[in-house]
Amino acid sequence: NTGIYTPSNWDEMHAFRWDAANGLVDLGTTDVDPWGWGTHNTIPCGVSDDGRTVVGIAGAGFFGQQPFIARQGSPTTFLQTYLVALGVPQASAWYFADIVGLSSDGRTICGNGYNAASVSEPFFVVLPPLAETYCTSKVNSQGCTPAIAATGIASVTSIAPFTISASNEINNQSGLMYYGFAPLSQHVAGGFKCVASPAVRTPLQNAGGSPTGTDCSGSYAIDFNAWIQSGIDPALTTGTVVYAQYWTRDPASVSTLNFSNAVRFTVFP
């Protein structure tokens, strides 16, 4: 994955992202044109190892420039706007001049700017992790350990999915993912409840897997970006930290229940 720039018309250049699965994706321009020029360039200077995060400079020649950030599936946005939306209020008082570095995981950004006192100084920003697992799964009646996973970026704008899945589950059994806004580690039914109340349940799913017999070929998955953007839960706003876990049926277990481990993630712009 890489990010470079390519001319889009006679007076404007756009950053683009390329990978084997999606080909060339034009990252376009920021949604705000503060220079009043009608068009502006976006020229990348850094890309994360997974290609999901691209940073660079948006500008209109001598009219001025500002750093931008583009994360897979979401609109290209000024870095300042992005940080304020994530709950970094001091960012609104800064003028960000450029970006000179992006870490391989796409979380750490450094560059130069002017602070609230209009003094030039470097800046260093560490974005929240996209997702991290925590807590402990309960081994099911077939001797398998369910595993939760999150793929993508949780976002209020991204057109790309953010999939929360669970594997190594009992086939053909019902289960659901539930989430809340604080972690927990409480012994329940021989396992651990990893999400504090109050919690929200997503719709019931069937694990599928092998059509006959009992094994660990089942799995569950939900596109949580579709859930966020549906507006069904107004608490899922930019900057919110969410904790999620799968609860499933295991008829051969004494409790008839099973719990996966859990995942925490931040909702990004």
Side-chain angles (χ1 to χ4, degrees):
N1 300 313
T2 188
I4 58 175
Y5 69 90
T6 184
S8 60
N9 59 42
W10 68 272
D11 63 352
E12 186 176 318
M13 293 181 290
H14 288 187
F16 71 80
R17 174 185 177 276
W18 182 93
D19 64 41
N22 301 293
L24 189 150
V25 178
D26 185 351
L27 300 182
T29 60
T30 60
D31 56 354
V32 176
D33 176 23
W35 304 283
W37 187 245
T39 61
H40 60 273
N41 302 324
T42 50
I43 302 176
C45 62
V47 59
S48 60
D49 281 357
D50 63 9
R52 292 177 180 170
T53 302
V54 178
V55 295
I57 296 298
F62 58 84
F63 286 91
Q65 63 182 31
Q66 291 187 43
F68 73 81
I69 182 169
R71 302 193 97 169
Q72 185 177 12
S74 295
T76 298
T77 306
F78 288 125
L79 179 63
Q80 182 182 52
T81 303
Y82 195 84
L83 294 177
V84 171
L86 276 177
V88 185
Q90 60 267 40
S92 63
W94 272 66
Y95 172 76
F96 296 92
D98 62 22
I99 290 176
V100 298
L102 175 70
S103 62
S104 61
D105 64 1
R107 290 185 55 203
T108 304
I109 304 169
C110 61
N112 300 292
Y114 295 85
N115 62 24
S118 298
V119 176
S120 176
E121 65 173 298
F123 70 85
F124 181 86
V125 174
V126 180
L127 301 176
L130 300 181
E132 296 178 309
T133 56
Y134 71 99
C135 205
T136 303
S137 299
K138 177 185 176 183
V139 177
N140 63 32
S141 61
Q142 300 303 302
C144 301
T145 303
I148 199 168
T151 305
I153 300 173
S155 168
V156 297
T157 61
S158 177
I159 59 174
F162 175 64
T163 304
I164 303 176
S165 61
S167 57
N168 294 334
E169 298 283 6
I170 303 293
N171 59 317
N172 302 314
Q173 295 300 318
S174 58
L176 58 82
M177 191 206 77
Y178 72 102
Y179 67 91
F181 305 101
L184 186 69
S185 182
Q186 179 182 340
H187 284 280
V188 174
F192 287 93
K193 183 182 179 185
C194 306
V195 178
S197 298
V200 179
R201 294 186 176 191
T202 61
L204 201 65
Q205 303 177 46
N206 186 280
S210 301
T212 60
T214 303
D215 57 28
C216 300
S217 61
S219 63
Y220 304 92
I222 183 172
D223 177 3
F224 202 70
N225 274 353
W227 183 267
I228 293 171
Q229 294 166 25
S230 72
I232 196 169
D233 186 351
L236 295 171
T237 57
T238 298
T240 301
V241 179
V242 182
Y243 302 81
Q245 180 179 29
Y246 272 92
W247 168 93
T248 61
R249 298 291 297 177
D250 184 356
S253 169
V254 173
S255 66
T256 71
L257 302 176
N258 191 265
F259 295 94
S260 71
N261 56 335
V263 63
R264 68 170 63 87
F265 57 90
T266 298
V267 179
F268 288 92

